[in-house]
């Protein structure tokens, strides 16, 4: 089965709609979401509606919890904290219930997929997989044969064994008994210098993975952030993918 993995939408509806259009074009109907549906962008409700309706499974991101749990944004930088407070005010009761219900970890064993927002050793801590040491450590807790999908850094990367230990994940093939940790990048707030929305498509039968990019109307997303009175940097960075 072909399944899309999307992460870190961050309330960016323009980016999410572009990804949805691309999935339609590719004929990929199934998807899972790795969290941070909200935070930074101005359409948290619409992004929650899409994920709640479409995703086979969804795990919580730190920004999802920050929007619904008192004190969960205390360690955010000032702009992220302001966005979390703004998002919390925008949410309907049903949105809060949905975000609060999300698990921090999920498994789809028939598809050999494990899902977590940040990393899989201590998923509740929302640590970052920043380098090969982090990647190696995370890989050790993935069940052989499985692929653990993560987001959180907003930078796509793939760690696997056997095979090339580390690459950008743009085209991967996984051995049947091999295991991997794949960061699928960010739909709504890419930070690898490419401003296009980023997501992954996994073929569970072929055991292949592709990281894909799609252009979207980032100017509109940035303008809406400005007009909502949110910190301007949150919109400006969409232009640069940083
Ligand atoms: Zn994020």
């Amino acid at each position: 089965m072909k399944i899309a993995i999307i992460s870190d939408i961050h309330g960016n509806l323009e980016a999410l709609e572009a990804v949805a259009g691309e999935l339609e074009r590719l004929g990929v109907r199934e998807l899972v979401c790795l969290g941070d549906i909200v935070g930074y962008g101005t359409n948290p409700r619409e992004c929650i509606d899409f994920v709640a309706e479409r995703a086979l499974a969804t795990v919580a991101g730190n920004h999802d919890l920050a929007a619904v749990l008192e004190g969960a944004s205390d360690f955010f930088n000032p702009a992220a904290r302001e966005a979390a407070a703004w998002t919390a005010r925008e949410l309907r009761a049903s949105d809060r219930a949905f975000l609060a219900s999300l698990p921090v970890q999920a498994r789809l064993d028939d598809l050999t997929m494990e899902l977590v927002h940040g990393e899989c050793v201590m998923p509740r801590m929302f640590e970052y997989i920043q380098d090969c040491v982090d990647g190696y450590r995370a890989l050790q807790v993935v069940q052989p044969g499985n692929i653990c999908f993560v987001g959180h850094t907003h930078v796509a990367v793939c760690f696997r064994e056997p095979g090339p230990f580390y690459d950008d994940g743009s085209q991967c093939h996984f051995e049947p008994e091999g295991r991997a940790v794949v960061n699928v990048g960010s739909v709504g707030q890419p930070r690898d210098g490419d401003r296009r929305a980023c997501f992954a498509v996994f073929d569970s039968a072929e055991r292949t993975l592709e990281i894909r990019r799609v252009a979207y109307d980032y100017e509109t997303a940035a303008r809406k952030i400005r007009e909502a009175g949110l910190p301007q940097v949150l919109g400006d960075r969409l232009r640069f993918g940083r």
Side-chain angles (χ1 to χ4, degrees):
M1 183 170 97
K2 280 194 177 181
I3 183 164
I5 303 100
I6 61 174
S7 190
D8 296 273
I9 301 164
H10 283 291
N12 185 338
L13 186 62
E14 286 71 27
L16 180 60
E17 285 179 337
V19 169
E22 187 70 357
L23 292 177
E24 180 109 22
R25 200 181 65 75
L26 295 168
V28 177
R29 271 174 286 279
E30 307 295 347
L31 66 90
V32 294
C33 176
L34 305 179
D36 278 8
I37 304 165
V38 305
Y40 301 142
T42 60
N43 292 96
R45 295 188 300 260
E46 293 82 355
C47 294
I48 289 172
D49 284 344
F50 177 90
V51 171
E53 191 182 312
R54 290 283 311 273
L56 278 182
T58 303
V59 293
N62 51 325
H63 285 260
D64 302 320
L65 298 182
V68 294
L69 295 180
E70 197 75 37
S73 65
D74 287 358
F75 298 103
F76 283 14
N77 66 53
R81 203 160 54 230
E82 195 175 329
W86 184 92
T87 300
R89 290 193 295 274
E90 290 289 305
L91 297 182
R92 301 158 293 195
S94 58
D95 301 324
R96 281 190 285 276
F98 176 75
L99 294 180
S101 76
L102 296 175
V104 294
Q105 203 166 17
R107 290 171 69 123
L108 300 172
D109 278 328
D110 48 336
L111 299 174
T112 65
M113 297 172 73
E114 302 179 14
L115 315 179
V116 65
H117 181 66
E119 58 84 49
C120 39
V121 180
M122 293 182 293
R124 222 165 272 282
M125 302 299 289
F126 297 110
E127 298 287 355
Y128 294 85
I129 297 176
Q130 307 260 41
D131 55 28
C132 286
V133 176
D134 300 337
Y136 181 79
R137 195 181 297 134
L139 203 49
Q140 305 316 303
V141 302
V142 179
Q143 182 174 307
N146 277 3
I147 294 130
C148 178
F149 292 95
V150 305
H152 200 35
T153 63
H154 301 204
V155 176
V157 61
C158 174
F159 300 97
R160 82 194 103 154
E161 55 183 20
F165 175 64
Y166 165 85
D167 64 23
D168 66 3
S170 52
Q171 295 274 356
C172 293
H173 177 260
F174 306 110
E175 299 298 330
E177 294 306 316
R179 55 187 175 180
V181 173
V182 176
N183 191 313
V184 300
S186 168
V187 169
Q189 181 109 180
R191 288 183 193 157
D192 59 355
D194 184 336
R195 66 184 169 217
R196 294 175 298 167
C198 188
F199 64 100
V201 176
F202 175 54
D203 186 324
S204 61
E206 300 291 330
R207 290 182 71 73
T208 55
L209 175 111
E210 203 178 349
I211 299 288
R212 301 191 65 102
R213 314 290 298 229
V214 59
Y216 75 97
D217 182 2
Y218 61 91
E219 292 288 4
T220 294
R223 176 177 53 74
K224 284 159 65 179
I225 285 173
R226 212 164 45 238
E227 287 173 0
L230 283 161
Q232 190 158 339
V233 61
L234 299 178
D236 290 346
R237 65 190 306 176
L238 296 178
R239 250 173 236 130
F240 309 106
R242 286 282 176 205

